[in-house]
Amino acid sequence: MAQRYVRVQNQEGQIYYGLLQLSLRVQALDAPPWLQGQPTDLVLEPEDYQILAPCAPSKIVAVGKNYAEHAAEMESEVPIEPLLFFKPPTSVIASLAEIQYPYQSQRVDYEGELALVIGDRAVDCTTEEAQTRIWGYTIANDVTARDLQRKDGQWTRAKGFDTFCPLGPWIVREVSPGARLQTFLNESFTPVQSATIDQMVFSPDFLVSYISQVMTLLPGDVVLTGTPVGVGPLTIGDRVRVEIEGIGRLENKVVAREKLAR
């Protein structure tokens, strides 16, 4: 099994990056692994930590319509160049955390995706250089308020709600180009999304190169590579699970977001 790099919080609130062992113990590192973090003598038992999203990005750069069949289901053409948008860092949650369905929306969709974790500063990279800037891979759900996306004509609000970027549960260093991405709802064994990641229009190294010619990518930043065909609605009470071969599964429950009393 590939090494699984996690980010966890102990009962005292301290946060560690670490290596997840088969026993579910976590061997703590002295720094994020992409910053040459090394194993320490500290080992956390399964009952002594809570798993967090595997990184804390300064930004999440996402790519729209990067699978041809998904572009078609959105009734649009495949973009000539990658279509970029942001999700704020405050949208990130861990696997098993709750997606909050906002009261402003009547249609919230799942979008299972492969996520890239940047390991080194990337500026004006070639595609060859970009490959060396991708430190690892994890799973994301680009949760989207579809009705607000259509209403607003741009995507910031629809993509940016708190909890709208489940990420995790861990990072692996490599993933097969033919790995299958699948999304499941509730207890169904039939996926609502199923595609191989090599069906992307723009490859991961091309995306990182393209983005780096617009903005600097920093260690720990995340790039979402787009979702395949099959996006659809979530309802309150649903459990949504995104799986990618060679990585694992990202699972979250949907709950109602409460309006704060003033």
Side-chain angles (χ1 to χ4, degrees):
M1 178 179 288
Q3 287 188 316
R4 298 172 293 175
Y5 293 86
V6 294
R7 181 169 158 267
V8 299
Q9 185 173 38
N10 69 8
Q11 295 177 351
E12 288 73 42
Q14 295 168 303
I15 294 174
Y16 299 94
Y17 288 90
L19 279 167
L20 183 64
Q21 302 171 348
L22 289 177
S23 64
L24 300 184
R25 295 186 180 95
V26 171
Q27 183 174 23
L29 305 178
D30 59 11
W34 44 89
L35 298 181
Q36 289 74 54
Q38 297 300 309
T40 68
D41 294 332
L42 177 63
V43 176
L44 300 173
E45 297 293 332
E47 63 272 17
D48 293 335
Y49 68 82
Q50 174 187 357
I51 196 162
L52 305 175
C55 56
S58 75
K59 56 186 170 294
I60 302 111
V61 187
V63 180
K65 303 176 185 176
N66 197 29
Y67 288 78
E69 291 184 357
H70 172 59
E73 77 175 337
M74 294 289 103
E75 300 179 350
S76 62
E77 301 293 327
V78 174
I80 297 174
E81 297 179 292
L83 176 61
L84 305 182
F85 61 93
F86 282 119
K87 293 177 83 77
T90 47
S91 67
V92 173
I93 58 172
S95 187
L96 302 182
E98 295 176 334
I99 297 168
Q100 297 179 7
Y101 198 117
Y103 50 83
Q104 299 96 325
S105 176
Q106 302 301 311
R107 169 69 185 257
V108 172
D109 285 5
Y110 56 80
E111 294 190 9
E113 306 197 9
L114 174 71
L116 317 176
V117 179
I118 301 301
D120 197 3
R121 185 182 177 92
V123 185
D124 285 328
C125 292
T126 65
T127 53
E128 292 77 14
E129 292 168 337
Q131 184 59 49
T132 69
R133 304 303 198 271
I134 301 172
W135 191 88
Y137 305 86
T138 189
I139 306 171
N141 188 346
D142 175 20
V143 182
T144 303
R146 191 70 67 200
D147 54 346
L148 302 183
Q149 182 183 27
R150 291 171 175 148
K151 176 182 179 182
D152 292 352
Q154 53 84 24
W155 301 3
T156 303
R157 180 167 65 140
K159 301 280 191 176
F161 283 99
D162 290 355
T163 76
F164 268 28
C165 189
L167 198 65
W170 43 68
I171 301 167
V172 300
R173 295 300 311 275
E174 296 181 354
V175 66
S176 168
R180 184 160 292 277
L181 183 160
Q182 297 187 104
T183 304
F184 299 85
L185 286 180
N186 301 315
E187 304 306 317
S188 176
F189 293 103
T190 302
V192 289
Q193 291 183 290
S194 183
T196 54
I197 60 177
D198 58 5
Q199 293 176 272
M200 292 179 195
V201 177
F202 302 107
S203 66
D205 52 353
F206 183 90
L207 292 175
V208 171
S209 172
Y210 183 87
I211 295 165
S212 78
Q213 294 169 45
V214 180
M215 68 194 78
T216 300
L217 290 169
L218 300 175
D221 281 351
V222 168
V223 174
L224 306 188
T225 58
T227 196
V229 68
V231 300
L234 294 167
T235 59
I236 293 169
D238 278 349
R239 298 192 74 88
V240 57
R241 185 174 82 252
V242 185
E243 298 184 359
I244 299 180
E245 288 178 319
I247 302 180
R249 62 169 60 181
L250 170 71
E251 185 170 355
N252 301 90
K253 184 178 179 180
V254 182
V255 301
R257 177 174 178 168
E258 301 295 335
K259 184 182 291 189
L260 294 177
R262 296 296 182 186

PDB file of all heavy atoms in Angstrom, residues 200-232:
ATOM      1  N   MET A 200      -9.377  13.350 -18.673  1.00  0.00           N
ATOM      2  CA  MET A 200      -9.352  14.807 -18.579  1.00  0.00           C
ATOM      3  C   MET A 200      -8.965  15.417 -19.931  1.00  0.00           C
ATOM      4  O   MET A 200      -8.141  14.866 -20.659  1.00  0.00           O
ATOM      5  CB  MET A 200      -8.309  15.269 -17.548  1.00  0.00           C
ATOM      6  CG  MET A 200      -8.615  14.930 -16.123  1.00  0.00           C
ATOM      7  SD  MET A 200      -7.248  15.537 -15.094  1.00  0.00           S
ATOM      8  CE  MET A 200      -7.604  14.628 -13.588  1.00  0.00           C
ATOM      9  N   VAL A 201      -9.517  16.584 -20.212  1.00  0.00           N
ATOM     10  CA  VAL A 201      -9.121  17.330 -21.411  1.00  0.00           C
ATOM     11  C   VAL A 201      -7.700  17.870 -21.239  1.00  0.00           C
ATOM     12  O   VAL A 201      -6.849  17.720 -22.118  1.00  0.00           O
ATOM     13  CB  VAL A 201     -10.103  18.475 -21.683  1.00  0.00           C
ATOM     14  CG1 VAL A 201      -9.650  19.301 -22.890  1.00  0.00           C
ATOM     15  CG2 VAL A 201     -11.519  17.933 -21.911  1.00  0.00           C
ATOM     16  N   PHE A 202      -7.439  18.502 -20.099  1.00  0.00           N
ATOM     17  CA  PHE A 202      -6.125  19.053 -19.797  1.00  0.00           C
ATOM     18  C   PHE A 202      -5.516  18.250 -18.651  1.00  0.00           C
ATOM     19  O   PHE A 202      -6.127  18.102 -17.593  1.00  0.00           O
ATOM     20  CB  PHE A 202      -6.234  20.529 -19.406  1.00  0.00           C
ATOM     21  CG  PHE A 202      -6.874  21.393 -20.471  1.00  0.00           C
ATOM     22  CD1 PHE A 202      -8.164  21.888 -20.298  1.00  0.00           C
ATOM     23  CD2 PHE A 202      -6.194  21.700 -21.638  1.00  0.00           C
ATOM     24  CE1 PHE A 202      -8.763  22.680 -21.264  1.00  0.00           C
ATOM     25  CE2 PHE A 202      -6.793  22.500 -22.620  1.00  0.00           C
ATOM     26  CZ  PHE A 202      -8.068  22.983 -22.438  1.00  0.00           C
ATOM     27  N   SER A 203      -4.317  17.750 -18.837  1.00  0.00           N
ATOM     28  CA  SER A 203      -3.665  16.874 -17.872  1.00  0.00           C
ATOM     29  C   SER A 203      -3.208  17.655 -16.638  1.00  0.00           C
ATOM     30  O   SER A 203      -3.066  18.891 -16.684  1.00  0.00           O
ATOM     31  CB  SER A 203      -2.453  16.204 -18.514  1.00  0.00           C
ATOM     32  OG  SER A 203      -1.459  17.182 -18.828  1.00  0.00           O
ATOM     33  N   PRO A 204      -2.929  16.957 -15.540  1.00  0.00           N
ATOM     34  CA  PRO A 204      -2.473  17.658 -14.334  1.00  0.00           C
ATOM     35  C   PRO A 204      -1.238  18.522 -14.540  1.00  0.00           C
ATOM     36  O   PRO A 204      -1.196  19.668 -14.064  1.00  0.00           O
ATOM     37  CB  PRO A 204      -2.204  16.508 -13.354  1.00  0.00           C
ATOM     38  CG  PRO A 204      -3.202  15.463 -13.744  1.00  0.00           C
ATOM     39  CD  PRO A 204      -3.233  15.532 -15.249  1.00  0.00           C
ATOM     40  N   ASP A 205      -0.225  18.022 -15.243  1.00  0.00           N
ATOM     41  CA  ASP A 205       0.977  18.832 -15.427  1.00  0.00           C
ATOM     42  C   ASP A 205       0.697  20.054 -16.301  1.00  0.00           C
ATOM     43  O   ASP A 205       1.221  21.143 -16.046  1.00  0.00           O
ATOM     44  CB  ASP A 205       2.146  18.009 -15.972  1.00  0.00           C
ATOM     45  CG  ASP A 205       1.794  17.223 -17.221  1.00  0.00           C
ATOM     46  OD1 ASP A 205       0.622  17.181 -17.616  1.00  0.00           O
ATOM     47  OD2 ASP A 205       2.711  16.632 -17.820  1.00  0.00           O
ATOM     48  N   PHE A 206      -0.179  19.905 -17.307  1.00  0.00           N
ATOM     49  CA  PHE A 206      -0.556  21.068 -18.118  1.00  0.00           C
ATOM     50  C   PHE A 206      -1.288  22.093 -17.262  1.00  0.00           C
ATOM     51  O   PHE A 206      -1.045  23.301 -17.377  1.00  0.00           O
ATOM     52  CB  PHE A 206      -1.431  20.641 -19.300  1.00  0.00           C
ATOM     53  CG  PHE A 206      -1.799  21.775 -20.220  1.00  0.00           C
ATOM     54  CD1 PHE A 206      -0.990  22.097 -21.305  1.00  0.00           C
ATOM     55  CD2 PHE A 206      -2.928  22.550 -19.978  1.00  0.00           C
ATOM     56  CE1 PHE A 206      -1.317  23.158 -22.144  1.00  0.00           C
ATOM     57  CE2 PHE A 206      -3.259  23.613 -20.815  1.00  0.00           C
ATOM     58  CZ  PHE A 206      -2.453  23.915 -21.895  1.00  0.00           C
ATOM     59  N   LEU A 207      -2.199  21.628 -16.398  1.00  0.00           N
ATOM     60  CA  LEU A 207      -2.955  22.552 -15.554  1.00  0.00           C
ATOM     61  C   LEU A 207      -2.040  23.345 -14.634  1.00  0.00           C
ATOM     62  O   LEU A 207      -2.179  24.567 -14.507  1.00  0.00           O
ATOM     63  CB  LEU A 207      -3.989  21.788 -14.731  1.00  0.00           C
ATOM     64  CG  LEU A 207      -5.146  21.154 -15.493  1.00  0.00           C
ATOM     65  CD1 LEU A 207      -6.005  20.325 -14.550  1.00  0.00           C
ATOM     66  CD2 LEU A 207      -5.981  22.206 -16.212  1.00  0.00           C
ATOM     67  N   VAL A 208      -1.103  22.659 -13.985  1.00  0.00           N
ATOM     68  CA  VAL A 208      -0.200  23.355 -13.070  1.00  0.00           C
ATOM     69  C   VAL A 208       0.660  24.357 -13.831  1.00  0.00           C
ATOM     70  O   VAL A 208       0.884  25.493 -13.382  1.00  0.00           O
ATOM     71  CB  VAL A 208       0.656  22.351 -12.282  1.00  0.00           C
ATOM     72  CG1 VAL A 208       1.757  23.066 -11.495  1.00  0.00           C
ATOM     73  CG2 VAL A 208      -0.223  21.547 -11.330  1.00  0.00           C
ATOM     74  N   SER A 209       1.153  23.977 -15.008  1.00  0.00           N
ATOM     75  CA  SER A 209       1.926  24.900 -15.833  1.00  0.00           C
ATOM     76  C   SER A 209       1.094  26.120 -16.198  1.00  0.00           C
ATOM     77  O   SER A 209       1.547  27.270 -16.057  1.00  0.00           O
ATOM     78  CB  SER A 209       2.408  24.185 -17.101  1.00  0.00           C
ATOM     79  OG  SER A 209       3.003  25.090 -18.009  1.00  0.00           O
ATOM     80  N   TYR A 210      -0.126  25.887 -16.653  1.00  0.00           N
ATOM     81  CA  TYR A 210      -1.014  26.982 -17.082  1.00  0.00           C
ATOM     82  C   TYR A 210      -1.315  27.925 -15.918  1.00  0.00           C
ATOM     83  O   TYR A 210      -1.214  29.154 -16.056  1.00  0.00           O
ATOM     84  CB  TYR A 210      -2.301  26.381 -17.631  1.00  0.00           C
ATOM     85  CG  TYR A 210      -3.286  27.384 -18.172  1.00  0.00           C
ATOM     86  CD1 TYR A 210      -3.226  27.822 -19.494  1.00  0.00           C
ATOM     87  CD2 TYR A 210      -4.304  27.892 -17.362  1.00  0.00           C
ATOM     88  CE1 TYR A 210      -4.142  28.743 -19.988  1.00  0.00           C
ATOM     89  CE2 TYR A 210      -5.220  28.809 -17.854  1.00  0.00           C
ATOM     90  CZ  TYR A 210      -5.137  29.229 -19.161  1.00  0.00           C
ATOM     91  OH  TYR A 210      -6.048  30.138 -19.652  1.00  0.00           O
ATOM     92  N   ILE A 211      -1.667  27.364 -14.777  1.00  0.00           N
ATOM     93  CA  ILE A 211      -1.992  28.196 -13.608  1.00  0.00           C
ATOM     94  C   ILE A 211      -0.770  28.992 -13.168  1.00  0.00           C
ATOM     95  O   ILE A 211      -0.871  30.172 -12.803  1.00  0.00           O
ATOM     96  CB  ILE A 211      -2.531  27.320 -12.464  1.00  0.00           C
ATOM     97  CG1 ILE A 211      -3.859  26.687 -12.869  1.00  0.00           C
ATOM     98  CG2 ILE A 211      -2.693  28.139 -11.185  1.00  0.00           C
ATOM     99  CD1 ILE A 211      -4.300  25.540 -11.968  1.00  0.00           C
ATOM    100  N   SER A 212       0.422  28.356 -13.202  1.00  0.00           N
ATOM    101  CA  SER A 212       1.642  29.022 -12.736  1.00  0.00           C
ATOM    102  C   SER A 212       2.030  30.206 -13.607  1.00  0.00           C
ATOM    103  O   SER A 212       2.819  31.061 -13.191  1.00  0.00           O
ATOM    104  CB  SER A 212       2.805  28.022 -12.688  1.00  0.00           C
ATOM    105  OG  SER A 212       3.336  27.774 -13.988  1.00  0.00           O
ATOM    106  N   GLN A 213       1.485  30.267 -14.815  1.00  0.00           N
ATOM    107  CA  GLN A 213       1.738  31.414 -15.682  1.00  0.00           C
ATOM    108  C   GLN A 213       0.764  32.563 -15.400  1.00  0.00           C
ATOM    109  O   GLN A 213       0.885  33.649 -15.970  1.00  0.00           O
ATOM    110  CB  GLN A 213       1.659  30.973 -17.141  1.00  0.00           C
ATOM    111  CG  GLN A 213       2.772  29.995 -17.505  1.00  0.00           C
ATOM    112  CD  GLN A 213       2.570  29.328 -18.851  1.00  0.00           C
ATOM    113  OE1 GLN A 213       2.222  29.996 -19.820  1.00  0.00           O
ATOM    114  NE2 GLN A 213       2.783  28.026 -18.913  1.00  0.00           N
ATOM    115  N   VAL A 214      -0.190  32.304 -14.512  1.00  0.00           N
ATOM    116  CA  VAL A 214      -1.139  33.327 -14.075  1.00  0.00           C
ATOM    117  C   VAL A 214      -0.821  33.786 -12.657  1.00  0.00           C
ATOM    118  O   VAL A 214      -0.780  34.981 -12.364  1.00  0.00           O
ATOM    119  CB  VAL A 214      -2.588  32.781 -14.130  1.00  0.00           C
ATOM    120  CG1 VAL A 214      -3.582  33.838 -13.665  1.00  0.00           C
ATOM    121  CG2 VAL A 214      -2.922  32.268 -15.517  1.00  0.00           C
ATOM    122  N   MET A 215      -0.584  32.844 -11.778  1.00  0.00           N
ATOM    123  CA  MET A 215      -0.368  33.142 -10.363  1.00  0.00           C
ATOM    124  C   MET A 215       0.648  32.165  -9.785  1.00  0.00           C
ATOM    125  O   MET A 215       0.809  31.048 -10.290  1.00  0.00           O
ATOM    126  CB  MET A 215      -1.686  33.033  -9.582  1.00  0.00           C
ATOM    127  CG  MET A 215      -2.223  31.635  -9.471  1.00  0.00           C
ATOM    128  SD  MET A 215      -3.943  31.558  -8.904  1.00  0.00           S
ATOM    129  CE  MET A 215      -4.810  32.001 -10.419  1.00  0.00           C
ATOM    130  N   THR A 216       1.311  32.577  -8.735  1.00  0.00           N
ATOM    131  CA  THR A 216       2.270  31.716  -8.059  1.00  0.00           C
ATOM    132  C   THR A 216       1.528  30.680  -7.217  1.00  0.00           C
ATOM    133  O   THR A 216       0.664  31.026  -6.418  1.00  0.00           O
ATOM    134  CB  THR A 216       3.192  32.546  -7.158  1.00  0.00           C
ATOM    135  OG1 THR A 216       3.892  33.499  -7.958  1.00  0.00           O
ATOM    136  CG2 THR A 216       4.189  31.662  -6.427  1.00  0.00           C
ATOM    137  N   LEU A 217       1.876  29.425  -7.430  1.00  0.00           N
ATOM    138  CA  LEU A 217       1.371  28.352  -6.579  1.00  0.00           C
ATOM    139  C   LEU A 217       2.386  28.095  -5.477  1.00  0.00           C
ATOM    140  O   LEU A 217       3.593  27.986  -5.740  1.00  0.00           O
ATOM    141  CB  LEU A 217       1.144  27.083  -7.403  1.00  0.00           C
ATOM    142  CG  LEU A 217      -0.025  27.157  -8.396  1.00  0.00           C
ATOM    143  CD1 LEU A 217       0.005  25.971  -9.353  1.00  0.00           C
ATOM    144  CD2 LEU A 217      -1.351  27.210  -7.647  1.00  0.00           C
ATOM    145  N   LEU A 218       1.893  28.002  -4.255  1.00  0.00           N
ATOM    146  CA  LEU A 218       2.753  27.840  -3.084  1.00  0.00           C
ATOM    147  C   LEU A 218       2.656  26.428  -2.533  1.00  0.00           C
ATOM    148  O   LEU A 218       1.645  25.738  -2.742  1.00  0.00           O
ATOM    149  CB  LEU A 218       2.346  28.842  -2.003  1.00  0.00           C
ATOM    150  CG  LEU A 218       2.434  30.319  -2.396  1.00  0.00           C
ATOM    151  CD1 LEU A 218       1.885  31.187  -1.275  1.00  0.00           C
ATOM    152  CD2 LEU A 218       3.866  30.708  -2.736  1.00  0.00           C
ATOM    153  N   PRO A 219       3.682  25.975  -1.809  1.00  0.00           N
ATOM    154  CA  PRO A 219       3.605  24.646  -1.191  1.00  0.00           C
ATOM    155  C   PRO A 219       2.353  24.503  -0.339  1.00  0.00           C
ATOM    156  O   PRO A 219       2.027  25.370   0.471  1.00  0.00           O
ATOM    157  CB  PRO A 219       4.880  24.584  -0.342  1.00  0.00           C
ATOM    158  CG  PRO A 219       5.832  25.508  -1.037  1.00  0.00           C
ATOM    159  CD  PRO A 219       4.982  26.630  -1.569  1.00  0.00           C
ATOM    160  N   GLY A 220       1.655  23.394  -0.530  1.00  0.00           N
ATOM    161  CA  GLY A 220       0.422  23.144   0.196  1.00  0.00           C
ATOM    162  C   GLY A 220      -0.821  23.605  -0.524  1.00  0.00           C
ATOM    163  O   GLY A 220      -1.938  23.271  -0.108  1.00  0.00           O
ATOM    164  N   ASP A 221      -0.676  24.397  -1.599  1.00  0.00           N
ATOM    165  CA  ASP A 221      -1.843  24.796  -2.390  1.00  0.00           C
ATOM    166  C   ASP A 221      -2.453  23.571  -3.065  1.00  0.00           C
ATOM    167  O   ASP A 221      -1.791  22.547  -3.265  1.00  0.00           O
ATOM    168  CB  ASP A 221      -1.459  25.831  -3.449  1.00  0.00           C
ATOM    169  CG  ASP A 221      -1.319  27.232  -2.870  1.00  0.00           C
ATOM    170  OD1 ASP A 221      -1.685  27.436  -1.698  1.00  0.00           O
ATOM    171  OD2 ASP A 221      -0.847  28.124  -3.602  1.00  0.00           O
ATOM    172  N   VAL A 222      -3.718  23.716  -3.453  1.00  0.00           N
ATOM    173  CA  VAL A 222      -4.462  22.605  -4.037  1.00  0.00           C
ATOM    174  C   VAL A 222      -5.034  23.030  -5.392  1.00  0.00           C
ATOM    175  O   VAL A 222      -5.525  24.150  -5.541  1.00  0.00           O
ATOM    176  CB  VAL A 222      -5.611  22.160  -3.094  1.00  0.00           C
ATOM    177  CG1 VAL A 222      -6.573  21.204  -3.786  1.00  0.00           C
ATOM    178  CG2 VAL A 222      -5.022  21.509  -1.846  1.00  0.00           C
ATOM    179  N   VAL A 223      -4.950  22.114  -6.352  1.00  0.00           N
ATOM    180  CA  VAL A 223      -5.569  22.303  -7.662  1.00  0.00           C
ATOM    181  C   VAL A 223      -6.614  21.214  -7.842  1.00  0.00           C
ATOM    182  O   VAL A 223      -6.303  20.017  -7.732  1.00  0.00           O
ATOM    183  CB  VAL A 223      -4.525  22.234  -8.792  1.00  0.00           C
ATOM    184  CG1 VAL A 223      -5.215  22.293 -10.164  1.00  0.00           C
ATOM    185  CG2 VAL A 223      -3.504  23.358  -8.655  1.00  0.00           C
ATOM    186  N   LEU A 224      -7.860  21.613  -8.092  1.00  0.00           N
ATOM    187  CA  LEU A 224      -8.929  20.664  -8.401  1.00  0.00           C
ATOM    188  C   LEU A 224      -9.012  20.526  -9.914  1.00  0.00           C
ATOM    189  O   LEU A 224      -9.099  21.520 -10.633  1.00  0.00           O
ATOM    190  CB  LEU A 224     -10.265  21.145  -7.845  1.00  0.00           C
ATOM    191  CG  LEU A 224     -10.333  21.485  -6.356  1.00  0.00           C
ATOM    192  CD1 LEU A 224     -11.781  21.746  -5.947  1.00  0.00           C
ATOM    193  CD2 LEU A 224      -9.715  20.400  -5.510  1.00  0.00           C
ATOM    194  N   THR A 225      -9.006  19.287 -10.409  1.00  0.00           N
ATOM    195  CA  THR A 225      -8.777  19.036 -11.828  1.00  0.00           C
ATOM    196  C   THR A 225     -10.042  18.869 -12.653  1.00  0.00           C
ATOM    197  O   THR A 225      -9.963  18.547 -13.833  1.00  0.00           O
ATOM    198  CB  THR A 225      -7.895  17.788 -11.993  1.00  0.00           C
ATOM    199  OG1 THR A 225      -8.541  16.670 -11.369  1.00  0.00           O
ATOM    200  CG2 THR A 225      -6.520  17.989 -11.367  1.00  0.00           C
ATOM    201  N   GLY A 226     -11.204  19.078 -12.064  1.00  0.00           N
ATOM    202  CA  GLY A 226     -12.445  18.957 -12.815  1.00  0.00           C
ATOM    203  C   GLY A 226     -13.183  17.672 -12.513  1.00  0.00           C
ATOM    204  O   GLY A 226     -12.602  16.694 -12.031  1.00  0.00           O
ATOM    205  N   THR A 227     -14.472  17.672 -12.812  1.00  0.00           N
ATOM    206  CA  THR A 227     -15.325  16.532 -12.481  1.00  0.00           C
ATOM    207  C   THR A 227     -15.830  15.859 -13.750  1.00  0.00           C
ATOM    208  O   THR A 227     -16.060  16.530 -14.764  1.00  0.00           O
ATOM    209  CB  THR A 227     -16.518  16.989 -11.613  1.00  0.00           C
ATOM    210  OG1 THR A 227     -17.125  15.856 -10.989  1.00  0.00           O
ATOM    211  CG2 THR A 227     -17.563  17.738 -12.421  1.00  0.00           C
ATOM    212  N   PRO A 228     -16.001  14.544 -13.737  1.00  0.00           N
ATOM    213  CA  PRO A 228     -16.549  13.861 -14.907  1.00  0.00           C
ATOM    214  C   PRO A 228     -18.068  13.973 -14.980  1.00  0.00           C
ATOM    215  O   PRO A 228     -18.716  14.546 -14.096  1.00  0.00           O
ATOM    216  CB  PRO A 228     -16.099  12.409 -14.700  1.00  0.00           C
ATOM    217  CG  PRO A 228     -15.932  12.265 -13.233  1.00  0.00           C
ATOM    218  CD  PRO A 228     -15.517  13.611 -12.715  1.00  0.00           C
ATOM    219  N   VAL A 229     -18.630  13.408 -16.035  1.00  0.00           N
ATOM    220  CA  VAL A 229     -20.068  13.418 -16.244  1.00  0.00           C
ATOM    221  C   VAL A 229     -20.782  12.727 -15.084  1.00  0.00           C
ATOM    222  O   VAL A 229     -20.219  11.841 -14.427  1.00  0.00           O
ATOM    223  CB  VAL A 229     -20.406  12.729 -17.593  1.00  0.00           C
ATOM    224  CG1 VAL A 229     -20.111  11.230 -17.542  1.00  0.00           C
ATOM    225  CG2 VAL A 229     -21.850  12.981 -18.011  1.00  0.00           C
ATOM    226  N   GLY A 230     -22.019  13.166 -14.822  1.00  0.00           N
ATOM    227  CA  GLY A 230     -22.823  12.504 -13.802  1.00  0.00           C
ATOM    228  C   GLY A 230     -23.100  13.348 -12.582  1.00  0.00           C
ATOM    229  O   GLY A 230     -23.599  12.835 -11.574  1.00  0.00           O
ATOM    230  N   VAL A 231     -22.786  14.648 -12.618  1.00  0.00           N
ATOM    231  CA  VAL A 231     -23.077  15.485 -11.454  1.00  0.00           C
ATOM    232  C   VAL A 231     -24.587  15.498 -11.214  1.00  0.00           C
ATOM    233  O   VAL A 231     -25.386  15.331 -12.135  1.00  0.00           O
ATOM    234  CB  VAL A 231     -22.549  16.919 -11.643  1.00  0.00           C
ATOM    235  CG1 VAL A 231     -21.054  16.910 -11.845  1.00  0.00           C
ATOM    236  CG2 VAL A 231     -23.241  17.628 -12.787  1.00  0.00           C
ATOM    237  N   GLY A 232     -24.937  15.671  -9.957  1.00  0.00           N
ATOM    238  CA  GLY A 232     -26.355  15.647  -9.623  1.00  0.00           C
ATOM    239  C   GLY A 232     -26.591  16.198  -8.240  1.00  0.00           C
ATOM    240  O   GLY A 232     -25.657  16.543  -7.506  1.00  0.00           O
TER     241      GLY A 232
END
